[in-house]
Amino acid sequence: QVQLVESGGGLVQPGGSLRLSCVASRSLFSGYTMGWYRQAPGKQRELVAHITGDGRGSYADSVKGRFTISRDNAKNTVYLQMGSLKPEDTAAYYCNRLHQRADWGRGTQVTVSS
């Protein structure tokens, strides 16, 4: 049973924007703090941003001021609006709970390159 489905990635030029979406199963999503993570080739997966059930977001220093996390509880969906993208943002992006993580989804690839 697929529980996390990420989408919205792609190839974008430096300075560009993308909006990622993640649809989760209700049991996994409802009331939980959700996070966006990323993993670049040869690097460990890192937490980029997370959002509480009532909509309070927090960000890694590397993306603060450029990325915005949001959620639609009625749609069991969490979003990541990414702006002022840099080549170092290139990675596979995943969503999951912040705690009690479920099995990872397939992720969505973001490539920032000219």
Side-chain angles (χ1 to χ4, degrees):
Q1 181 179 357
V2 177
Q3 299 193 83
L4 293 162
V5 180
E6 299 92 350
S7 63
L11 173 64
V12 62
Q13 292 187 341
S17 300
L18 281 175
R19 188 195 196 203
L20 308 184
S21 300
C22 171
V23 180
S25 60
R26 183 173 180 80
S27 61
L28 189 154
F29 183 90
S30 183
Y32 288 95
T33 296
M34 297 296 295
W36 278 100
Y37 302 77
R38 68 185 180 188
Q39 186 168 21
K43 295 188 177 181
Q44 289 190 331
R45 196 170 343 227
E46 63 174 347
L47 178 66
V48 173
H50 64 272
I51 185 167
T52 62
D54 60 357
R56 287 172 290 133
S58 297
Y59 302 90
D61 287 344
S62 59
V63 306
K64 199 171 294 183
R66 300 189 297 120
F67 291 10
T68 302
I69 190 170
S70 61
R71 65 191 291 161
D72 185 334
N73 290 334
K75 296 181 179 180
N76 299 330
T77 301
V78 59
Y79 304 98
L80 187 68
Q81 179 67 48
M82 306 187 295
S84 301
L85 282 161
K86 304 175 181 181
E88 51 262 44
D89 295 317
T90 295
Y93 283 71
Y94 304 84
C95 69
N96 211 321
R97 290 176 180 171
L98 182 62
H99 305 292
Q100 298 175 297
R101 285 193 291 270
D103 290 341
W104 294 96
R106 293 185 175 184
T108 186
Q109 177 68 34
V110 172
T111 302
V112 184
S113 175
S114 55

